[in-house]
Amino acid sequence: MTDLLSRRSASSTQRVSRWTPSSAVGTSAGAVLIVALAALPYLINLATIYAMIDLFVLLILASTWNLLAGFGGMVSVGQQAYIGLGAYSLVTLADLLGVNVFLAIPIAAIVSALVAIPVSYLAFRLVGGYFAVGTWVIAEVFRLVTIQIPQVGGGAGVSISAMSGFPRDLRIAVGYWVALVCVVVVVGSCVLLVRSRFGLALTALRDDPTAAATSGVNVDASKRLVYLISAAGAGVAGTLIAISTLRVQPSGVYDVQWSAFMIFMVVIGGVGTLEGPIIGAVIFWLLKQALAEYGSAYLIGLGILGVLFVLFARRGIWGLVSRRGRVDLFPVGYRLRLPDQTRRKQ
């Protein structure tokens, strides 16, 4: 009887929590970092601000591509289709239709997601490597169609006149703050998505699609939703590229190199985690800044580095430092908090 009461007392002190010491520290550090980044334009030069906008674009692309491949199990080599679509949607909305350029950003994301709906029904007929090649072909079709539209400059591209009314320094600073808001919203949305019931379905889908289907997960609907979210994220990245460069060209926004960058960032950071793409994007950005003067040669080095990670560190950098998933910087998992007595016994 005494043993039964003691067990009941122990179980009453046990509780399931999403928060761990590491996630509390990580979330707090992230909030402080966001505040510091918001003040950065007052402290750095214009060239560094431009570079930071590039980092924010990479963070968005890495995080959303990881949702697609790391959780949805769909390795796409054609997300540049939605980068271009987002950039040209911004140009069309702001310059041709007179929509406020900053209001055009979420509208362009919605347009990218809507276009992705019929595209998904075509792309999802393919699996594995065929899906990857098929998405690249779809992106090329987007580029070829865009070239045929004279209203957006055809093959020569088009400049964004909606931003011309801003003074140069103010335009760059505002563009930086808008990019910061976008990356916070995108990464925060990824965290909330993984925390949700749908996130559990995605985790099951990532681990074993067949088992997930037998457990009641609608595999096709889940994959399609992730595909739409990833397309919207790529569209947001495209709008930021357009605002930063003030010019959109098909050869730039539809370049397959964007997909190569996404794959590299997620692979070296850690596929199927929230922290990995962030780490991979930062590392890639630092390498890009340090080695850009070597031209295309640095891309060869990045390729070799990516191959080494695939062969010898498939869990990526975050997998190496997180002690096999026991450390989280975001409160997305579940942890059983045991009584102090139980902890001491263990």
Side-chain angles (χ1 to χ4, degrees), residues 15-257:
R15 61 189 180 90
V16 176
S17 173
R18 287 187 179 274
W19 290 93
T20 62
S22 61
S23 63
V25 171
T27 303
S28 301
V32 173
L33 179 61
I34 291 170
V35 174
L37 288 173
L40 210 56
Y42 299 104
L43 306 173
I44 59 179
N45 56 40
L46 295 181
T48 307
I49 294 177
Y50 269 122
M52 291 299 297
I53 295 175
D54 183 45
L55 172 60
F56 295 155
V57 170
L58 294 175
L59 285 169
I60 292 172
L61 292 175
S63 296
T64 54
W65 192 87
N66 178 62
L67 280 180
L68 184 65
F71 289 94
M74 296 173 286
V75 178
S76 171
V77 191
Q79 291 307 100
Q80 64 272 14
Y82 303 106
I83 296 176
L85 182 60
Y88 277 104
S89 295
L90 180 86
V91 173
T92 303
L93 291 166
D95 283 357
L96 301 182
L97 301 180
V99 179
N100 180 277
V101 66
F102 301 116
L103 179 60
I105 294 176
I107 298 177
I110 294 173
V111 170
S112 298
L114 291 176
V115 173
I117 295 175
V119 172
S120 68
Y121 283 94
L122 175 63
F124 285 12
R125 296 175 66 89
L126 307 171
V127 294
Y130 295 103
F131 175 83
V133 174
T135 54
W136 172 72
V137 172
I138 291 171
E140 284 298 296
V141 171
F142 275 46
R143 182 182 67 84
L144 293 175
V145 171
T146 303
I147 290 174
Q148 304 304 316
I149 304 176
Q151 288 80 3
V152 292
V158 62
S159 298
I160 302 175
S161 59
M163 298 288 292
S164 60
F166 290 84
R168 181 170 177 265
D169 293 353
L170 178 61
R171 173 178 58 79
I172 297 173
V174 170
Y176 171 89
W177 284 318
V178 170
L180 176 60
V181 170
C182 289
V183 75
V184 170
V185 170
V186 169
V187 174
S189 299
C190 291
V191 173
L192 294 176
L193 182 67
V194 174
R195 278 174 60 96
S196 67
R197 178 178 294 184
F198 179 67
L200 293 176
L202 281 182
T203 303
L205 184 63
R206 175 193 63 187
D207 294 339
D208 192 330
T210 303
T214 57
S215 300
V217 176
N218 190 326
V219 174
D220 289 339
S222 300
K223 285 188 174 183
R224 181 163 288 109
L225 181 55
V226 171
Y227 185 77
L228 302 186
I229 293 172
S230 182
V236 170
T239 62
L240 297 179
I241 294 170
I243 291 175
S244 175
T245 60
L246 294 182
R247 185 166 181 80
V248 180
Q249 291 180 294
S251 60
V253 291
Y254 291 115
D255 194 341
V256 70
Q257 192 175 74

